[in-house]
Amino acid sequence: MKKTYTVILAAALLGIALTGCAGASGRSSQAAGDRKEQSLKEITFVLDWTPNTNHTGLYVAQEKGYFKDAGLNVTMVQPPENGAEVLAASGKAQFAMSFQDSLAPAFSGGNKLPVTAVAAVIQHNTSGIISRKGEGMDRPRGLEGRQYATWDLPIEKATIREVVEADGGDFDKVKLIPSMVTDEVTALKTKSVDAIWIFYGWAGVKTELEGLETDYFAFADVDPVFDFYTPVIIANNDFLENEPDTAKAFMEAVSRGYMDAARDPQAAADILCKAAPELDPELIKASQIYLADKYQADAAQWGYISPERWNAYYDWLSRNGLTETPIEENTGFSNEYLPKDG
């Protein structure tokens, strides 16, 4: 019995020793993990709106740990009333989502914003005009005599004028109805308006899901000058200058996220829905499938901004008096922060 007791005691002591080692090891690992978390660089990214499939690559990079692999702790926030651009320009956020047309005032006049577009989220402009099928609005001049839902913005109205008149129509005959349409399907079905400027990857896909037959023409198909970049990722200029390696690490992680979304839209849709459970899973999946081959499209790599296309659009704005001062060539964008291996 004494021998048995001795064996039991020895085993108990060994167990205590092993538990102590394990506890120490666990505490050590936790401490190391805490130090690693603390060593991550804090990055704030401002969305342009509520989460949607324009943002999927960000959420994929977050979910799969690409940001942490790059030494970053990224927080995504929704924009304030005065816009994502102002928050990025102020330095309160390092990155934000924006649009080339919306950025024009940032690069002209006396109150320029210190931001730079560092990646094209979607390679080509997927926006255009949608209308009820068979009512003659499948081309720009068909808007004559029709009710177009306008945001009443100078660039927007100049774009509509350009495409209508280039198609032989009279812009002055288009009925501009000030309207912030949030439900395109209802607006078209109830005939409160006849035509709406949409991004097909969201609103167009939604009309398909809800069984509304439509006509649609894309601005980029009407005139290549309207194949501008929408949306883009912008960054604070001081951040880019002072922490270029951090900026490049962020962009590499984001690039991986968008490429994953392109390769596996279903899995990417699931990740976005997990991050934003208030979204409609059916719409997210359909939108993700639509955008999968459009993130990179015909570009050499995801995120690339063509100087020719960028400059052509700003030249059109300047020639039409839509900027306070002309925007000089190659202003406001850079491909320098994209991964070098594509």
Side-chain angles (χ1 to χ4, degrees):
M1 287 183 64
K2 185 176 179 181
K3 183 178 179 182
T4 302
Y5 174 77
T6 303
V7 171
I8 292 172
L9 178 61
L13 291 173
L14 179 61
I16 291 169
L18 289 175
T19 301
C21 290
S25 175
R27 287 191 296 274
S28 176
S29 296
Q30 182 177 356
D34 290 343
R35 285 195 298 273
K36 184 178 180 182
E37 288 288 339
Q38 290 171 3
S39 69
L40 296 177
K41 293 202 172 188
E42 297 292 332
I43 296 291
T44 298
F45 189 103
V46 190
L47 306 180
D48 56 291
W49 196 244
T50 54
N52 58 66
T53 45
N54 283 349
H55 312 134
T56 306
L58 294 158
Y59 287 100
V60 171
Q62 187 86 287
E63 174 70 16
K64 293 191 172 184
Y66 296 161
F67 289 137
K68 284 192 176 181
D69 291 346
L72 308 173
N73 183 38
V74 177
T75 301
M76 285 174 274
V77 299
Q78 293 184 28
E81 282 189 19
N82 56 357
E85 297 86 358
V86 173
L87 206 59
S90 71
K92 293 179 180 178
Q94 289 78 23
F95 294 94
M97 193 76 76
S98 187
F99 308 84
Q100 189 182 354
D101 52 340
S102 302
L103 283 168
F107 305 136
S108 67
N111 296 311
K112 297 178 182 178
L113 294 181
V115 296
T116 297
V118 291
V121 175
I122 298 170
Q123 186 57 217
H124 294 284
N125 183 1
T126 61
S127 73
I129 300 297
I130 199 166
S131 60
R132 292 177 297 275
K133 189 170 184 63
E135 296 187 10
M137 290 169 280
D138 56 335
R139 57 186 302 168
R141 71 184 185 198
L143 296 177
E144 282 188 357
R146 300 292 186 168
Q147 296 184 105
Y148 164 70
T150 178
W151 303 305
D152 204 26
L153 299 174
I155 291 177
E156 171 219 4
K157 291 188 288 187
T159 302
I160 300 297
R161 177 184 290 277
E162 179 83 5
V163 297
V164 167
E165 294 184 350
D167 194 34
D170 184 349
F171 174 75
D172 293 331
K173 292 181 179 178
V174 178
K175 298 177 182 178
L176 302 179
I177 308 297
S179 177
M180 294 294 289
V181 174
T182 56
D183 185 342
E184 294 80 5
V185 174
T186 299
L188 291 175
K189 280 185 174 180
T190 60
K191 299 189 177 182
S192 58
V193 294
D194 300 316
I196 309 169
W197 184 331
I198 66 161
F199 286 88
Y200 201 90
W202 191 260
V205 168
K206 186 179 180 182
T207 63
E208 293 180 13
L209 290 175
E210 298 197 21
L212 177 64
E213 293 189 339
T214 62
D215 282 323
Y216 174 80
F217 65 83
F219 292 115
D221 291 341
V222 175
D223 188 335
V225 79
F226 296 124
D227 194 14
F228 54 91
Y229 288 99
T230 176
V232 293
I233 292 175
I234 62 172
N236 174 274
N237 286 352
D238 286 341
F239 167 72
L240 292 177
E241 181 178 353
N242 296 328
E243 299 191 56
D245 291 340
T246 304
K248 290 174 182 178
F250 175 85
M251 291 309 305
E252 181 167 2
V254 170
S255 178
R256 291 176 67 189
Y258 277 100
M259 286 297 88
D260 283 0
R263 283 188 291 266
D264 192 345
Q266 176 63 69
D270 290 341
I271 288 172
L272 180 57
C273 287
K274 177 183 175 183
E278 69 277 10
L279 297 175
D280 176 358
E282 186 180 13
L283 176 57
I284 293 300
K285 178 182 176 182
S287 175
Q288 204 64 65
I289 291 170
Y290 173 86
L291 289 176
D293 64 353
K294 294 175 176 58
Y295 286 126
Q296 181 173 343
D298 54 354
Q301 69 178 120
W302 175 85
Y304 179 76
I305 296 173
S306 160
E308 292 76 19
R309 283 170 49 204
W310 183 272
N311 292 330
Y313 182 63
Y314 278 162
D315 179 61
W316 180 83
L317 291 183
S318 298
R319 286 187 287 106
N320 283 274
L322 295 167
T323 57
E324 187 176 337
T325 58
I327 299 175
E328 295 182 7
E329 280 200 348
N330 301 323
T331 294
F333 79 95
S334 174
N335 291 308
E336 178 183 346
Y337 303 93
L338 296 175
K340 296 305 179 186
D341 59 3

